[in-house]
Amino acid sequence: MKQEDVSRQYQIPVEILKEYESWGLCDVVKIVMGEWQYDDQDLERLSTIMALHDLDFSHDEIETYMRLLLEEEQGEEKRMKLLTAKRQKKLADIHLEEKKLQRIDYLRHVIKKNQTK
């Protein structure tokens, strides 16, 4: 499957496809007639890349994660550490946003209280 077909069919931005190609993660060069040919393994990896993009992983974090995906034993442990660190950061962000909501609710409460006087 060609880059333009993958981009259209799976709604993957061309920039992400080019990023993936630049990493050279495939065992075999899959260029036919000057164009990269995506197979099922590529599509599976691209699905992971899209999930990592959605989770706000940086370009470097995604590349690191994908390279670790190719490692046997240590790669899995290192990927788990990356995911755990990202999870902790997301939880901290959620708690911060919850505090902000509490402040908003407090200010709304003050206004409602003043309106009933």
Side-chain angles (χ1 to χ4, degrees):
M1 195 178 262
K2 295 179 182 180
Q3 186 182 80
E4 61 196 32
D5 299 327
V6 170
S7 178
R8 183 179 55 254
Q9 185 170 345
Y10 296 98
Q11 299 175 350
I12 301 173
V14 172
E15 298 80 35
I16 291 175
L17 296 174
K18 288 181 180 180
E19 180 178 76
Y20 174 68
E21 292 172 17
S22 74
W23 294 335
L25 296 174
C26 296
D27 297 332
V28 180
V29 176
K30 294 185 270 184
I31 297 180
V32 178
M33 305 215 22
E35 289 191 65
W36 188 280
Q37 297 295 311
Y38 292 87
D39 62 16
D40 290 341
Q41 187 178 35
D42 293 315
L43 296 174
E44 187 176 318
R45 289 177 181 158
L46 286 164
S47 175
T48 300
I49 290 169
M50 292 300 294
L52 296 172
H53 271 283
D54 289 346
L55 295 169
D56 299 324
F57 274 64
S58 71
H59 169 83
D60 291 340
E61 290 172 324
I62 293 171
E63 183 176 2
T64 298
Y65 186 93
M66 296 308 294
R67 290 195 183 283
L68 290 171
L69 190 62
L70 299 177
E71 291 183 18
E72 295 289 322
E73 294 175 27
Q74 291 181 341
E76 192 170 276
E77 186 178 320
K78 291 176 183 176
R79 283 184 293 130
M80 182 61 83
K81 286 181 181 179
L82 282 173
L83 291 171
T84 299
K86 187 61 78 170
R87 185 178 191 282
Q88 290 172 340
K89 171 75 170 92
K90 288 290 179 193
L91 282 172
D93 292 345
I94 288 169
H95 292 304
L96 177 62
E97 293 302 317
E98 286 175 337
K99 287 180 182 180
K100 289 178 183 179
L101 280 173
Q102 289 172 352
R103 290 179 189 149
I104 289 170
D105 288 344
Y106 172 75
L107 293 171
R108 292 178 73 226
H109 169 75
V110 169
I111 291 171
K112 286 181 180 181
K113 184 178 175 183
N114 288 336
Q115 287 177 341
T116 60
K117 286 184 180 182

